[in-house]
Amino acid sequence: MAAFFEETVTHVHHWTDRLFSFRTTRDPAFRFENGQFAMIGLMVDGRPLLRAYSMASPNHDDGLEFFSIKVPDGPLTSRLQGIKLGDTILIGRKPTGTLVQDSLLPGRNLYLVSTGTGFAPFASIIRDFTVYERYDKVVAIHGCRTVAETAYSRHIVDGLHADEYMAEVVAGKLVYYPTVTREAFEHVGRVTTGLRDGSIPAKAGLAPLDPALDRVMICGSEAMLKDTVTLMKDLGFEEGSSSKAGHYVIEKAFVEK
Ligand code: A2P
């Protein structure tokens, strides 16, 4: 058996000069849990060049979707940003990851806290109808530098509200909270600041974060994870894992060094 599935690019969209998303075909044998990631990449000089990417599409989707940064001198993303319809993408056979429902104790509201391309696993989770059966509210918080960088998450959320079936599922349950740090917007400031001072739950019409009731999934840069974990601990939240469910789970967003 080959180490990778070879899938075909079916769609590419450049959101900004730093961010793009793309879709590929999906082998029916490639199964994953919403929120997981896989190694994906390209053949370069006869060798596979791979990085970890969260699946942004939900697992009921016939295709696969990914959301990526473009790093000008990044070994993979400098090439990946040039992909065209019909190109081949390698997809590793073993999806994995910690942003899965079984690592969390049951709760009232699910907070999905991301920055940048850290939104990718949550694009999968908020398109999974079963998550709305588990929680009263699903709160998708996306911190970005600029308003333009929130375009992908806004597109996913708008798509849910426009979808014949999902519109009813998400109505009154999905709360979308984009916040930007480098220009004026409806919500400004880092996600960590707004969660620590309580302004994000307050502006979203929700009670302050409470480990007895709320569950949190976190995905962003290393610095963002460090600060958000400190905040979680200060608020009395305990980290969950596949062996012991807890109040929050974290995953590093794909960053190419
Ligand atoms: P800032 O503009 O203050 O750096 P990036 O694209 O660089 O990953 O950033 C995405 C968003 O994450 C930006 O709004 C950025 O804010 C924010 N950010 C960067 N570091 C942290 C951190 N340690 N905690 C929370 N948010 C962060």
Side-chain angles (χ1 to χ4, degrees), residues 18 69 114-117 143-146 149 179-182 189-193 220-228:
R18 283 204 325 140
I69 193 130
S114 65
T115 52
T117 56
C144 293
R145 295 181 184 184
T146 63
E149 292 189 349
T179 179
V180 311
T181 46
R182 301 195 188 185
R190 287 186 166 189
V191 295
T192 38
T193 311
S221 63
E222 248 158 295
M224 178 273 201
L225 291 184
K226 186 168 165 284
D227 290 352
T228 315

Side-chain angles (χ1 to χ4, degrees), residues 84-194:
K84 302 265 176 311
L85 299 193
D87 285 356
T88 300
I89 301 285
L90 305 176
I91 313 265
R93 288 181 173 265
K94 286 201 184 138
T96 182
T98 53
L99 301 178
V100 293
Q101 298 300 322
D102 286 351
S103 296
L104 292 176
L105 295 162
R108 170 183 63 184
N109 296 332
L110 176 65
Y111 283 80
L112 304 171
V113 183
S114 65
T115 52
T117 56
F119 181 74
F122 304 143
S124 170
I125 289 171
I126 64 174
R127 288 187 276 185
D128 172 359
F129 66 89
T130 66
V131 77
Y132 301 94
E133 293 167 357
R134 290 176 182 244
Y135 295 96
D136 288 354
K137 304 270 185 199
V138 175
V139 189
I141 303 170
H142 189 201
C144 293
R145 295 181 184 184
T146 63
V147 178
E149 292 189 349
T150 67
Y152 177 70
S153 58
R154 182 169 296 280
H155 169 78
I156 301 299
V157 170
D158 287 349
L160 283 166
H161 289 295
D163 184 86
E164 204 183 337
Y165 170 70
M166 287 301 287
E168 217 171 295
V169 174
V170 304
K173 293 209 132 202
L174 176 62
V175 178
Y176 173 54
Y177 195 102
T179 179
V180 311
T181 46
R182 301 195 188 185
E183 62 187 6
F185 186 52
E186 181 190 358
H187 305 303
V188 292
R190 287 186 166 189
V191 295
T192 38
T193 311

